[in-house]
Amino acid sequence: MRIRVESKLPEGLDAVVVARFSGSEEVPAGLDQAVTGLLGKVKEIGGAEKFLETENILLTDSTTAKRLVVMGAGKQEDFDVMKARQLAGTAARSLRKKGAQKLGFVFPAGEKGPDYFQAYAEGVVLSTFEPGFYHTGENKDTKVLEDVVFLSASSDATLKDRVERGVVVAEGQNFARTLANEPPNNMYPARLAEEAEKMSKEVGLDFHVLDEKQLEEGGFKAILAVGQGSIHPPRMIVMKYNGAGDAPYIGVVGKGITFDSGGISIKPAESMDQMKFDMSGGAWTIGTMRILAQLKPKINVIGVVAAAENLPSGSAYRPGDVVGSLEGKTIEVLNTDAEGRIVLADGLAYARKLGATRLIDMATLTGAAVVAVGHVATAVFTSDQAWTDKFLQIAREDGERAWQLPLFPEYTEQIRGTTGDLLNTGGRWGGASTAAAFLKEFTGGVPWIHLDIAGTAHPESEKPYIAKGSSGQIIRTLVDFLIDTGENAA
């Protein structure tokens, strides 16, 4: 798919999409007489006033396009980056499903033009992801976008640069979504490692992976315990991006549970199929590293994915077991379904061992986070408030929802073990916070942010602008935050 910015729309488009703010009298420049006249009529009848409200008109007297779509952008004062992304994604997804291949967009710019244009490009690319990988025959979606043009009267090269950046970011998100959406019979730890290695070679990342023998020799007792019930042994996947010479590394650690049955503490059958998404933190990490390698910022980042499959069997770990860890601390297992924090314990320790002086982890870690903030926001925990304030600011600017939850010392007291050093669950109350408190014990005191993406990794239902399934949400924020942290480090 080709996406570009032009000062004039080409002829022969399948559709031209024009967005208008509620009550706006402005008529966009650069459109032919037929389109301009119809826009005036839409304004007269009060059409496309509300956000995403659409007027669909077939064109007979225009050489520009076969169809005019007028979309409501809502009130101008309420328009932001998130709505820009949704606006473009909704239009592109709907028209692609109608068979459109060539689209022109006439969307608002203004003072935030570069930010909006990046978001428009992201929305278009994100809209192309559909989860029906294994559909056949008539069920298979073969409709694709070939050419997308954004109209801009501005000669500012920044707009083109930001559109290109938006394409890179969204394609990285779609890559992560693809990994997470794969069925668990096809996506297991070794396969995830293969996909990460293939991607690393394509974009120029340093790569290595530890197999079960190397994990055993290296003392990775926590991840081995979680994975010992499966015929698919664990992997510790590492990708390294060096764009800043001898500068310190930031470690990004992802939970890569390719399928989570709950183990011996088995989950209910209802919705267990959704547990293929329990590797989303790992997929997000791989997607993030892909984006960084393509953007080439002057930062150093290590991406670590702790990959395992959590299944019950005669060799599975049990409630009551005490397992070790790379950190040396022992973990008393109360519930084998609280396995994500156990594999992350080794992942966080290994990232530090590889040289990371700051840590960010991502995981579909707790149902408690979903109870707290729903499917709307990523739950955020931290040991460094000033650093996290910057993350939350960037999330707001990037149009992605994130909300900080507490990490008081009392939560750590809830996970003090009787037989081992730490309990792998603190009980029902404050479950997202006690899980974060557990992870903090393996960060070695370095600045650390934990992102619980359990509610945002895979939406419950599709939206007009995005398909049901894996979301890729918070990756854009993480990329911008990593670049800001690395390039502005003292």
Side-chain angles (χ1 to χ4, degrees):
M1 178 173 56
R2 183 184 180 199
I3 301 180
R4 64 193 194 278
V5 180
E6 300 289 352
S7 58
K8 181 180 179 181
L9 291 179
E11 295 185 352
L13 296 171
D14 292 310
V16 58
V17 185
V18 181
R20 64 182 301 267
F21 289 122
S22 176
S24 174
E25 299 292 328
E26 182 180 353
V27 178
L31 300 175
D32 65 32
Q33 187 174 357
V35 172
T36 301
L38 287 170
L39 284 174
K41 292 184 181 299
V42 169
K43 181 178 72 68
E44 287 176 12
I45 65 173
E49 288 285 321
K50 298 179 181 178
F51 182 61
L52 299 185
E53 183 183 4
T54 302
E55 299 290 342
N56 218 313
I57 306 165
L58 293 177
L59 296 173
T60 56
D61 300 323
S62 172
T63 59
T64 302
K66 301 172 186 176
R67 182 193 302 264
L68 169 65
V69 178
V70 186
M71 294 190 70
K75 295 180 180 178
Q76 187 166 358
E77 60 269 26
D78 295 336
F79 196 70
D80 57 17
V81 169
M82 181 171 68
K83 287 190 174 182
R85 193 180 296 119
Q86 292 173 352
L87 189 71
T90 298
R93 188 162 186 251
S94 173
L95 288 166
R96 180 183 61 80
K97 288 187 171 186
K98 288 181 170 68
Q101 296 177 323
K102 299 178 181 180
L103 302 178
F105 289 89
V106 185
F107 277 5
E111 293 181 2
K112 293 186 177 180
D115 292 337
Y116 289 160
F117 269 62
Q118 178 177 338
Y120 297 146
E122 289 171 359
V124 170
V125 175
L126 291 172
S127 78
T128 64
F129 175 89
E130 296 292 341
F133 298 174
Y134 295 94
H135 285 172
T136 62
E138 294 180 356
N139 294 321
K140 192 171 183 65
D141 185 356
T142 58
K143 299 182 178 70
V144 295
L145 288 178
E146 294 179 355
D147 196 17
V148 173
V149 179
F150 292 103
L151 181 66
S152 173
S154 172
S155 59
D156 186 358
T158 303
L159 294 183
K160 294 182 179 181
D161 292 342
R162 290 294 292 274
V163 164
E164 291 174 4
R165 182 186 179 100
V167 170
V168 169
V169 171
E171 286 180 345
Q173 287 179 264
N174 281 352
F175 180 71
R177 297 166 77 190
T178 298
L179 293 175
N181 203 71
E182 280 284 354
N185 58 319
N186 288 343
M187 185 57 70
Y188 39 86
R191 165 78 191 285
L192 184 60
E194 290 170 3
E195 293 296 327
E197 182 176 19
K198 179 181 176 182
M199 179 277 295
S200 296
K201 289 179 178 178
E202 288 174 352
V203 300
L205 294 168
D206 291 334
F207 176 87
H208 76 267
V209 60
L210 303 181
D211 62 20
E212 65 270 30
K213 183 178 180 181
Q214 292 166 311
L215 290 170
E216 186 173 353
E217 291 172 350
F220 293 79
K221 297 178 180 179
I223 190 172
L224 285 168
V226 171
Q228 70 191 36
S230 172
I231 61 170
H232 296 294
R235 293 288 187 270
M236 191 68 74
I237 302 165
V238 180
M239 300 145 288
K240 184 180 288 188
Y241 170 75
N242 187 304
D246 296 330
Y249 278 87
I250 306 168
V252 178
V253 183
K255 171 187 171 183
I257 300 296
T258 56
F259 185 73
D260 180 21
S261 69
I264 297 297
S265 308
I266 197 163
K267 295 176 180 288
E270 185 179 358
S271 298
M272 195 194 287
D273 61 294
Q274 300 296 298
M275 289 301 101
K276 70 176 185 177
F277 294 118
D278 212 23
M279 54 164 284
S280 295
W284 278 208
T285 299
I286 296 170
T288 297
M289 297 304 294
R290 182 182 191 265
I291 294 167
L292 293 175
Q294 293 178 307
L295 294 181
K296 294 180 169 50
K298 294 180 180 180
I299 62 174
N300 290 339
V301 180
I302 297 169
V304 177
V305 179
E309 187 175 51
N310 186 25
L311 291 177
S313 73
S315 62
Y317 81 133
R318 297 148 292 221
D321 283 359
V322 174
V323 301
S325 67
L326 182 62
E327 184 81 7
K329 296 179 180 180
T330 56
I331 302 164
E332 186 175 345
V333 179
L334 300 187
N335 187 324
T336 63
D337 193 24
E339 84 300 326
R341 66 203 70 183
I342 298 178
V343 302
L344 284 173
D346 278 355
L348 289 164
Y350 193 44
R352 286 170 32 231
K353 190 174 182 178
L354 294 172
T357 58
R358 293 172 179 257
L359 293 170
I360 303 166
D361 75 75
M362 291 183 288
T364 49
L365 204 64
T366 66
V370 187
V371 172
V373 293
H375 294 279
V376 174
T378 292
V380 181
F381 301 84
T382 189
S383 66
D384 189 307
Q385 192 58 52
W387 196 36
T388 303
D389 286 343
K390 186 63 178 179
F391 177 88
L392 295 170
Q393 175 191 334
I394 290 174
R396 288 191 294 271
E397 293 171 352
D398 283 357
E400 294 192 299
R401 305 291 194 200
W403 196 259
Q404 187 174 350
L405 294 178
L407 192 55
F408 300 127
E410 289 85 349
Y411 296 121
T412 303
E413 293 305 312
Q414 281 183 240
I415 57 167
R416 294 297 181 201
T418 301
T419 308
D421 294 325
L422 299 167
L423 303 174
N424 81 321
T425 175
R428 180 180 180 185
W429 308 117
S433 293
T434 54
F438 179 95
L439 295 178
K440 185 181 178 183
E441 294 294 306
F442 297 89
T443 61
V446 305
W448 159 76
I449 295 173
H450 162 53
L451 304 177
D452 193 329
I453 59 173
T456 53
H458 50 102
E460 287 188 303
S461 59
E462 72 173 351
K463 303 290 192 298
Y465 46 86
I466 196 165
K468 182 180 180 180
S470 190
S471 72
Q473 189 169 326
I474 215 66
I475 290 178
R476 175 181 171 171
T477 296
L478 179 59
V479 167
D480 286 346
F481 178 64
L482 289 168
I483 293 172
D484 180 87
T485 297
E487 294 187 343
N488 294 314

